[in-house]
Amino acid sequence: MPGIKESLAAIRSTLPPEVGLVAVSKYHPAEAVAEAYDAGQRLFGESRVQELLDKAGRLPSDIRWHFIGHLQTNKVRALVSSGVASLIESVDSERLLRLIDKESERAGIVSRVLVQAHVAQEETKFGFLPDELADFFACGGYRSLKATHICGLMGMASNTDDEARVRADFAALAALKKRITDTAEDLTGFDILSMGMSHDYLSAIAEGSNLVRVGTAIFGERVY
Ligand SMILES: *Cc1c(COP(=O)(O)O)cnc(C)c1O
């Protein structure tokens, strides 16, 4: 099996220059992050608040961390007030969005977030339904946010080998992003389209992703 450095280089060689790479280090030790860091990687993704805070405290401060997991409401304050996440990618409900905003205002910071849309077939994945999200923006729900900037959209494709299905899911996410920017005329900086993981990131890029989140293909299988 190739090492972390080789895997990173192999993946980077497939990415167009405008596509960012989040190295998803969840469930891997800080040493693995350090190895990727030494290979030049500066952007990492974590899915649990405590794990993120632990790693951030042990690793170089020029790392940018994205939070990519389901964020429980009772963890919002710890995450937001730490100021450690440069982007919370996984805002999957309006309730969570409002809570992040409240805690950001309280902490005196502005949080950058993505809203997570659910287009995949699986019932279990979190996220706004596309119509729900489009309505939120059409009604100007973002205008009352005081300390949160919505920087774009995050989503996942169905977990299937059916390539056409995967492409259709990514196309639906790209279309939703366009629908939102077309209707919400005063929405600025809604630029990020985060989609694509180890097994499907090339399809995601073909459908317009500009941020991919790759874990297993860099760090190997996770041990839960
Ligand atoms: C774990 C995770 C990834 C990375 O998945 P891999 O298949 O290991 O590349 C990407 N996005 C989210 C939201 C995740 O939870």
Side-chain angles (χ1 to χ4, degrees):
M1 222 197 108
I4 290 171
K5 194 176 171 204
E6 292 73 28
S7 301
L8 257 178
I11 289 163
R12 283 212 196 96
S13 72
T14 65
L15 298 180
E18 70 278 9
V19 176
L21 172 63
V22 181
V24 177
S25 49
K26 64 186 186 193
Y27 293 90
H28 291 287
E31 291 70 27
V33 179
E35 208 176 318
Y37 180 91
D38 289 339
Q41 182 68 23
R42 293 292 179 272
L43 178 56
F44 294 87
E46 287 286 336
S47 63
R48 296 183 298 178
V49 173
Q50 196 52 52
E51 187 177 347
L52 168 58
L53 297 182
D54 288 346
K55 282 181 186 160
R58 295 178 54 194
L59 287 155
S61 59
D62 63 338
I63 288 181
R64 284 180 298 132
W65 299 97
H66 285 190
F67 190 82
I68 62 166
H70 174 62
L71 180 55
Q72 292 166 269
T73 51
N74 63 354
K75 303 275 170 63
V76 171
R77 181 169 294 179
L79 180 65
V80 167
S81 66
S82 75
V84 159
S86 67
L87 186 67
I88 302 174
E89 293 203 21
S90 42
V91 177
D92 53 19
S93 71
E94 185 167 351
R95 176 163 177 254
L96 180 59
L97 179 64
R98 300 279 172 207
L99 187 57
I100 289 169
D101 192 48
K102 186 175 138 218
E103 292 296 338
S104 303
E105 198 184 12
R106 185 174 179 275
I109 61 173
V110 174
S111 288
R112 298 172 67 247
V113 307
L114 304 182
V115 280
Q116 181 178 351
H118 174 103
V119 298
Q121 282 164 326
E122 292 89 51
E123 297 269 317
T124 53
K125 284 186 181 158
F126 295 101
F128 288 87
L129 294 175
D131 285 343
E132 185 190 2
L133 201 53
D135 283 350
F136 170 78
F137 284 100
C139 298
Y142 55 93
R143 290 194 193 111
S144 55
L145 296 170
K146 298 194 183 84
T148 307
H149 184 211
I150 306 178
C151 304
L153 185 65
M154 185 271 250
M156 286 178 246
S158 303
N159 187 10
T160 168
D161 292 334
D162 179 355
E163 170 71 13
R165 175 76 226 182
V166 169
R167 287 287 287 251
D169 287 346
F170 287 139
L173 288 165
L176 177 60
K177 178 169 178 283
K178 183 170 187 310
R179 186 174 160 199
I180 289 168
T181 46
D182 284 351
T183 47
E185 287 174 345
D186 61 343
L187 182 67
T188 54
F190 192 82
D191 299 323
I192 299 176
L193 182 55
S194 173
M195 54 186 200
M197 314 181 7
S198 290
H199 61 285
D200 59 13
Y201 75 89
L202 290 174
S203 302
I205 292 169
E207 296 297 339
S209 170
N210 56 22
L211 188 65
V212 294
R213 309 175 310 269
V214 178
T216 310
I218 297 171
F219 296 107
E221 295 291 337
R222 287 177 287 273
V223 180
Y224 294 101

